[in-house]
Amino acid sequence: MIDYLRKRWKYLVAKLTGRFEETADPKVQLEQAIAEAKDQHRRLKDQAANVIANQKQTELRLNRAIEELEKVNGNARQAVLMAEEAAAAGNADKATSYTTAAESFANRLITLDGEIESLKSLHFQATEAADQAKAAVTQNST
């Protein structure tokens, strides 16, 4: 009995939905479809803007990391030169201090190198996503 009532209910709902579709004003339906398409396009543009912003942010982080790598590399070279000069001058304490500083810079270089590699792959992925987002917006606008 319950199955019969469910079937009748579904039939009634389907019939009423069909009647509504038949009596609906095409102009109103068209306006609703246009409004929905515009809203979808706006959401797609917002998402694309977020993806592109993420790509730019990743690019900036990568550039900063590369600049820092160059700076630390220069500092490490300078520390090695100063350690060699101090050793040549016979000042063991300064040579040890400069050698320790050079080792510290070398450790930072290793860390930065790993970070740069990670940022490069992240930047590549972000660039791919940005290109896809731009293509999706272009395709949707047409």
Side-chain angles (χ1 to χ4, degrees):
M1 180 71 177
I2 291 177
D3 287 336
Y4 175 74
L5 290 175
R6 283 185 185 158
K7 287 180 184 178
R8 293 295 291 171
W9 176 254
K10 288 181 182 178
Y11 175 75
L12 180 64
V13 168
K15 189 173 182 177
L16 291 175
T17 302
R19 287 240 172 104
F20 174 74
E21 293 294 327
E22 289 173 6
T23 60
D25 186 13
K27 183 178 178 183
V28 172
Q29 287 179 329
L30 186 60
E31 288 174 358
Q32 289 173 341
I34 291 171
E36 184 178 329
K38 284 181 180 179
D39 189 45
Q40 178 186 3
H41 185 68
R42 182 191 51 78
R43 286 193 308 266
L44 187 61
K45 283 175 51 177
D46 289 345
Q47 288 174 348
N50 287 336
V51 169
I52 293 168
N54 183 32
Q55 183 235 357
K56 293 294 183 186
Q57 185 179 26
T58 304
E59 186 177 338
L60 290 174
R61 287 175 45 204
L62 178 61
N63 289 339
R64 273 188 248 129
I66 290 172
E67 288 174 6
E68 186 176 354
L69 178 77
E70 291 170 356
K71 188 184 302 182
V72 171
N73 193 14
N75 289 343
R77 285 182 183 161
Q78 185 67 29
V80 168
L81 289 175
M82 292 174 80
E84 289 175 357
E85 289 175 2
N91 194 341
D93 290 338
K94 281 191 174 185
T96 304
S97 173
Y98 291 138
T99 303
T100 303
E103 290 173 358
S104 174
F105 286 129
N107 289 334
R108 181 68 182 139
L109 282 172
I110 292 169
T111 303
L112 280 172
D113 193 41
E115 184 179 328
I116 286 173
E117 288 304 315
S118 172
L119 284 171
K120 281 181 182 178
S121 67
L122 189 62
H123 182 260
F124 178 73
Q125 292 171 354
T127 302
E128 290 289 319
D131 291 342
Q132 290 174 356
K134 289 175 187 175
V137 168
T138 303
Q139 182 181 5
N140 190 43
S141 66
T142 56

